[in-house]
Amino acid sequence: MEGKPFNIVAVGGTGKVHGGDETHNHSHDGEKAHDHAHAHDHGDDQIYQGYFEDSQVKDRALLDWEGDWQSVYGYLQDGTLDPVMAHKAESGTQTVEEYKAYYEIGYKTDVERITIEGDTVTFFKDGRPLKARYASDGRETLTYEKGNRGVRFIFKKVEGDADAPDYIQFSDHKIAPAKADHFHLYFGDDRAALLKEVTNWPTYYPSALSAKEIVEEMIAH
């Protein structure tokens, strides 16, 4: 299942989404243990896996993602995440090399760090900051071929640097107000096209975490 796109059944009528972000078995993130440390009933687990009622989905503010975040792409490139890839290969359906190739596409980004404070988001490319203010532009519930679902929370640029993306879409496996412990971020200038993205989902963990701690979180699912 991992690495194969799922057909969207309903996303306001658009596109596909890959099976490794909002859907899923969560084996590509490894955040499961962290989330489950706070999940004490079956309902929470079901939501995490992508099974929920429309009535459970609630709007979220940018505050849920406030903080200082680091991309994990560099850790994949420098070999830090090799133990994670090996762990996946032990129980998964692909080789270490195949998993690395999958995440090379998935994690790829030139935005190595993101800070979010209030309604202001700063993107760091090669250490150079791009800053803009964002306002909520709604949410989209995506339904997958296997029957589970995910929610993208969308924000639109209202002012700021021209090179900052017009839209940012968060996916963190939560469907109602809650602080994120990591997230996938889809960003660009075309709202609809981002909803169809199937292969690239830059992933961010708190900048306060060491490389070793990120590896531990990814493996402990």
Side-chain angles (χ1 to χ4, degrees):
M1 178 173 71
E2 187 168 3
K4 305 297 189 294
F6 287 83
N7 289 321
I8 294 280
V9 177
V11 70
T14 60
K16 289 182 178 180
V17 115
H18 86 114
D21 62 358
E22 299 102 332
T23 60
H24 82 250
N25 59 12
H26 294 275
S27 59
H28 84 279
D29 292 310
E31 77 287 32
K32 193 169 185 177
H34 181 92
D35 267 17
H36 285 190
H38 303 285
H40 301 292
D41 60 58
H42 183 66
D44 287 343
D45 184 65
Q46 287 291 97
I47 290 172
Y48 187 82
Q49 296 295 337
Y51 297 96
F52 52 84
E53 301 298 325
D54 289 343
S55 61
Q56 294 175 282
V57 181
K58 307 295 181 185
D59 290 335
R60 297 172 69 185
L62 200 52
L63 183 67
D64 279 359
W65 298 276
E66 192 165 50
D68 192 320
W69 304 89
Q70 60 178 320
S71 166
V72 298
Y73 182 49
Y75 294 134
L76 180 73
Q77 291 183 300
D78 69 11
T80 297
L81 300 186
D82 284 358
V84 180
M85 300 299 118
H87 179 75
K88 293 179 185 302
E90 288 175 2
S91 57
T93 59
Q94 300 183 68
T95 65
V96 170
E97 291 73 23
E98 287 171 333
Y99 277 116
K100 289 184 74 171
Y102 172 67
Y103 288 103
E104 167 66 29
I105 297 170
Y107 288 158
K108 187 177 179 64
T109 183
D110 59 359
V111 176
E112 69 269 10
R113 178 184 170 215
I114 295 173
T115 62
I116 302 172
E117 183 175 359
D119 63 357
T120 300
V121 181
T122 305
F123 307 84
F124 292 87
K125 291 186 177 185
D126 298 320
R128 185 174 70 91
L130 294 170
K131 183 180 293 188
R133 291 178 53 241
Y134 290 84
S136 177
D137 195 48
R139 62 178 190 259
E140 297 284 350
T141 297
L142 311 177
T143 300
Y144 310 103
E145 192 173 60
K146 65 174 289 189
N148 62 338
R149 301 190 294 168
V151 181
R152 296 265 189 101
F153 294 91
I154 304 169
F155 296 83
K156 182 178 181 178
K157 183 169 70 175
V158 293
E159 68 175 21
D161 293 337
D163 289 341
D166 287 345
Y167 291 94
I168 53 178
Q169 301 182 359
F170 291 90
S171 169
D172 62 0
H173 319 292
K174 303 176 191 296
I175 64 170
K179 295 294 288 185
D181 49 58
H182 86 287
F183 59 83
H184 311 291
L185 190 67
Y186 304 78
F187 45 94
D189 297 334
D190 186 325
R191 187 184 193 275
L194 290 174
L195 288 171
K196 298 178 185 179
E197 176 57 66
V198 300
T199 58
N200 179 232
W201 16 272
T203 301
Y204 296 85
Y205 277 76
S207 293
L209 291 183
S210 68
K212 181 175 182 290
E213 288 170 327
I214 289 176
V215 168
E216 289 172 351
E217 288 223 358
M218 288 183 169
I219 288 178
H221 63 275

